[in-house]
């Protein structure tokens, strides 16, 4: 087995699932649960002889002088603050410490679904028409969109605030949904035209030898892959109320693949990413960019690497060593 020679600093704010509520708006749902945390930790210890763990940012900062030659692996998500995913990379860059994942710019851009779609559009990548509502007075503008629409928080992750039932068939329903979410999150709410088709996930990553890992997979919900009104929301993703499965496919044209790869490379320090969208009419339509994709064996990332012949430990090694090789400091 290949091993990472640098010490690994593992930062994770894992949460006990038994103490979490079943609320659609529970911000701790994005944090890793105990199983996810222990699985990643065991994998890291398998590929590195020294793994040092911290459970909050303050611990890491207090001991940061000891980690100038180490590499940081972070599953720290924080809560509520929209800049929370920028903290660890910004701290690491301030101290010139190697880390795996996206830098503060990429985290901030991708945290905002609306802005990340605009950025992707500049590379010729299609996406659904949308409206980012930053104040209640803008809600009537929803009437200009083609219904049905999906209503969701613009700057949240982990399906926080995105339900299986977040589809609005008409303006009055959309109005009520936006009002409800705005009352909960008190910041921008995204209203996005619904695109029928296959739920397509792309996994892309920097590999140790310099090439880009690429994998496409479609999602099936209760055996169905062509979605007319389905949403992969909180109830399905987190509460497992519907049965899901994934299948490796090859749907993206070489032209669209090149556009997506150019986007990934242009972002700079990112290392790996999950890209979610819909495939309809032989075209890919972007939903969101996730540079903090789940790294568990059961995730879309884990499924992609395993389907391409990598063990779980091989995946962790490849992602970490690929990040080390790409690091520019």
């Amino acid at each position: 087995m290949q091993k990472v020679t640098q010490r690994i600093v593992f930062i994770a704010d894992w949460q006990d699932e038994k103490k979490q509520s079943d609320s659609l708006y529970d911000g701790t749902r994005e944090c890793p649960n105990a199983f996810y945390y222990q699985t990643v930790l065991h994998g890291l210890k398998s590929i590195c002889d020294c793994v040092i763990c911290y459970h909050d940012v303050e611990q890491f900062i207090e001991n940061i002088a000891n980690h100038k030659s180490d590499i940081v692996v972070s599953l720290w998500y924080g809560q509520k603050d929209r800049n929370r995913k920028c903290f660890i990379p910004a701290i690491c860059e301030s101290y010139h410490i190697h880390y795996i994942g996206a830098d503060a710019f990429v985290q901030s851009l991708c945290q905002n679904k609306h802005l990340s779609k605009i950025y992707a559009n500049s590379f010729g990548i299609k996406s659904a028409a949308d409206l980012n509502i930053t104040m209640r007075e803008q809600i009537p503008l929803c009437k200009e969109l083609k219904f049905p629409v999906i209503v969701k928080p613009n700057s949240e992750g982990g399906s926080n605030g995105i339900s299986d039932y977040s589809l609005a068939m008409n303006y009055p329903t959309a109005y009520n949904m936006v009002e409800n979410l705005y009352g909960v999150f008190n910041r921008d709410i995204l209203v996005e035209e619904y695109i029928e088709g296959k739920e397509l996930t792309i996994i892309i990553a920097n590999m140790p030898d310099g090439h880009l890992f690429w994998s496409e997979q479609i999602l099936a919900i209760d055996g169905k892959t062509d979605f007319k009104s389905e949403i992969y929301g909180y109830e399905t993703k987190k509460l497992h109320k519907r049965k899901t499965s994934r299948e490796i496919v090859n749907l993206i044209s070489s032209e669209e693949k090149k556009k997506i790869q150019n986007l990934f490379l242009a972002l700079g320090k990112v290392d790996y990413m999950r890209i979610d969208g819909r495939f309809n009419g032989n075209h890919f339509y972007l939903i969101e960019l996730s540079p903090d994709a789940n790294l568990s064996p059961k995730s879309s990332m884990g499924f992609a690497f395993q389907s391409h012949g990598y063990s779980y430990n091989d995946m962790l090694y490849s992602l970490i060593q690929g990040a080390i090789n790409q690091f520019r400091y």
Side-chain angles (χ1 to χ4, degrees):
M1 181 188 299
Q2 299 183 92
K3 292 237 179 182
V4 176
T5 56
Q6 290 179 239
R7 295 192 309 179
I8 292 176
V9 177
F10 184 38
I11 307 172
D13 54 345
W14 68 274
Q15 299 286 328
D16 186 344
E17 279 190 310
K18 295 178 181 179
K19 296 181 180 179
Q20 291 176 324
S21 74
D22 288 336
S23 171
L24 174 64
Y25 314 115
D26 182 0
T28 66
R29 283 281 172 187
E30 195 172 8
C31 300
N33 59 28
F35 173 80
Y36 179 22
Y37 169 75
Q38 292 294 340
T39 300
V40 176
L41 178 58
H42 183 268
L44 294 178
K45 288 183 175 180
S46 297
I47 62 169
C48 181
D49 292 332
C50 183
V51 179
I52 301 162
C53 300
Y54 296 114
H55 298 137
D56 58 56
V57 178
E58 289 78 11
Q59 278 185 312
F60 174 52
I61 293 174
E62 287 172 3
N63 295 278
I64 202 164
N66 301 321
H67 301 305
K68 294 296 186 69
S69 300
D70 302 337
I71 182 162
V72 172
V73 176
S74 175
L75 295 184
W76 191 86
Y77 288 91
Q79 298 177 41
K80 297 183 179 179
D81 192 316
R82 68 178 181 178
N83 299 311
R84 60 191 182 274
K85 296 178 185 178
C86 302
F87 296 163
I88 297 297
I91 292 167
C92 289
E93 291 192 14
S94 298
Y95 287 86
H96 301 287
I97 295 172
H98 287 188
Y99 64 96
I100 178 175
D103 65 15
F105 166 76
V106 177
Q107 292 284 8
S108 181
L109 175 66
C110 296
Q111 185 77 3
N112 188 307
K113 296 177 177 66
H114 178 68
L115 290 182
S116 60
K117 286 169 61 178
I118 293 174
Y119 187 85
N121 292 162
S122 70
F123 289 84
I125 300 169
K126 299 176 184 295
S127 60
D130 65 18
L131 173 66
N132 186 34
I133 296 175
T134 58
M135 58 183 70
R136 285 186 167 91
E137 290 77 8
Q138 295 174 315
I139 299 179
L141 295 175
C142 292
K143 294 177 182 178
E144 299 177 8
L145 296 173
K146 180 181 177 181
F147 285 84
V149 296
I150 300 175
V151 180
K152 56 189 175 183
N154 185 50
S155 301
E156 290 291 327
S159 292
N160 192 23
I162 305 176
S163 169
D164 289 357
Y165 309 101
S166 292
L167 190 66
M169 305 304 294
N170 51 53
Y171 171 68
T173 304
Y175 182 94
N176 290 333
M177 286 183 174
V178 174
E179 275 282 2
N180 178 55
L181 286 181
Y182 201 92
V184 172
F185 294 101
N186 197 31
R187 58 172 176 256
D188 45 342
I189 304 301
L190 190 67
V191 183
E192 180 180 65
E193 291 183 2
Y194 184 85
I195 294 179
E196 297 182 356
K198 299 182 186 297
E199 184 89 1
L200 184 65
T201 293
I202 298 164
I203 299 297
I204 186 168
N206 290 315
M207 299 299 282
D209 62 3
H211 87 274
L212 287 180
F213 177 88
W214 175 277
S215 181
E216 304 166 29
Q217 56 192 264
I218 57 171
L219 173 73
I221 298 178
D222 290 336
K224 185 176 182 179
T225 58
D226 288 302
F227 298 160
K228 301 295 184 182
S229 60
E230 290 79 7
I231 297 175
Y232 185 36
Y234 166 77
E235 293 85 355
T236 297
K237 188 181 294 185
K238 298 294 185 179
L239 302 182
H240 312 293
K241 291 193 173 182
R242 294 184 291 179
K243 184 178 180 181
T244 62
S245 61
R246 296 184 177 274
E247 176 187 353
I248 297 296
V249 294
N250 185 21
L251 297 176
I252 302 289
S253 68
S254 57
E255 181 182 358
E256 288 194 320
K257 179 177 179 179
K258 186 64 176 177
K259 291 176 181 178
I260 295 169
Q261 289 177 329
N262 286 341
L263 164 66
F264 179 81
L265 294 171
L267 286 169
K269 168 62 175 165
V270 59
D271 297 332
Y272 63 88
M273 179 175 280
R274 188 189 76 239
I275 302 173
D276 296 314
R278 284 287 169 90
F279 189 78
N280 177 295
N282 297 319
H283 289 292
F284 176 76
Y285 292 83
L286 175 68
I287 294 177
E288 65 178 325
L289 305 172
S290 299
D292 55 344
N294 191 298
L295 297 179
S296 82
K298 297 180 179 180
S299 67
S300 54
M301 178 78 70
F303 177 73
F305 273 85
Q306 290 165 30
S307 298
H308 288 270
Y310 292 80
S311 70
Y312 181 62
N313 290 346
D314 288 338
M315 180 191 84
L316 290 178
Y317 172 83
S318 297
L319 294 177
I320 293 171
Q321 194 60 50
I324 292 172
N325 293 351
Q326 290 283 327
F327 212 79
R328 295 178 174 85
Y329 291 149

